[in-house]
Amino acid sequence: LNIKSVKFIDRDGRSVQVICEDEDYTIEISTEATKFVKNCSIGYNIKTSAGTAVCGTSSAVQGHDMAFEAGQEIVSHFTFRSPLASGHYFLSAGAAELLTPQEEIHNYVMHDFVHDAIPFVAESKSRFDGIVNLNSELVSVSIVPTEDR
């Protein structure tokens, strides 16, 4: 398995390197099978510029068992809505062959991994602490009566 390209695509189908909060995007990973692979997993992760893993997933994690013949090109699309705080990040992508049944997805051989495939900028208008916006909302505040303490 060889990763041929990695892209962020916006809702208009354009390749982008600036991701805006609460906008919908697709991560597109194009991979070529160099041999028959019975159980293939394609995935990605996003890290901060300091190397902290923010999030990631793969076809195996999401329960998709895929087999590919030698010479086939595979294009995987992962959709997401950006919750990221403003800053600089890196998208990495990997293609692996699973060695054990679907329930044991962490036993694999990595055939290709493109470290920091896309450096990108996230822009956020919201005010929050941390790396991601959980969109947490204050729903109530109650004063506890003195006699109940």
Side-chain angles (χ1 to χ4, degrees):
L1 298 167
N2 287 328
I3 295 175
K4 295 176 69 173
S5 69
V6 181
K7 299 177 188 174
F8 275 117
I9 300 171
D10 68 10
R11 66 175 169 246
D12 296 322
R14 295 180 303 228
S15 182
V16 296
Q17 285 187 277
V18 176
I19 305 299
C20 298
E21 181 186 21
D22 287 332
E23 294 288 327
D24 294 320
Y25 296 93
T26 298
I27 294 171
E28 179 183 280
I29 304 169
S30 296
T31 310
E32 182 179 19
T34 54
K35 66 175 189 157
F36 172 73
V37 180
K38 181 179 176 184
N39 296 308
C40 175
S41 180
I42 309 296
Y44 72 89
N45 67 44
I46 292 175
K47 293 191 265 180
T48 65
S49 57
T52 303
V54 178
C55 61
T57 192
S58 71
S59 54
V61 167
Q62 295 188 21
H64 298 284
D65 193 10
M66 304 181 299
F68 298 105
E69 298 292 331
Q72 281 186 311
E73 184 170 341
I74 305 112
V75 181
S76 304
H77 293 100
F78 296 90
T79 59
F80 73 102
R81 179 167 281 208
S82 179
L84 296 172
S86 293
H88 295 272
Y89 298 87
F90 294 93
L91 173 71
S92 297
E97 181 175 6
L98 301 173
L99 301 176
T100 52
Q102 187 66 32
E103 313 74 66
E104 301 173 25
I105 60 171
H106 299 294
N107 187 14
Y108 57 85
V109 173
M110 186 66 70
H111 284 260
D112 198 6
F113 186 79
V114 183
H115 182 72
D116 298 347
I118 300 176
F120 69 98
V121 173
E123 294 180 349
S124 174
K125 297 178 202 117
S126 300
R127 290 178 24 187
F128 59 92
D129 289 331
I131 298 171
V132 297
N133 184 356
L134 296 179
N135 291 309
S136 180
E137 218 174 289
L138 177 64
V139 293
S140 72
V141 174
S142 302
I143 298 174
V144 178
T146 308
E147 61 273 4
D148 289 346
R149 287 194 254 168

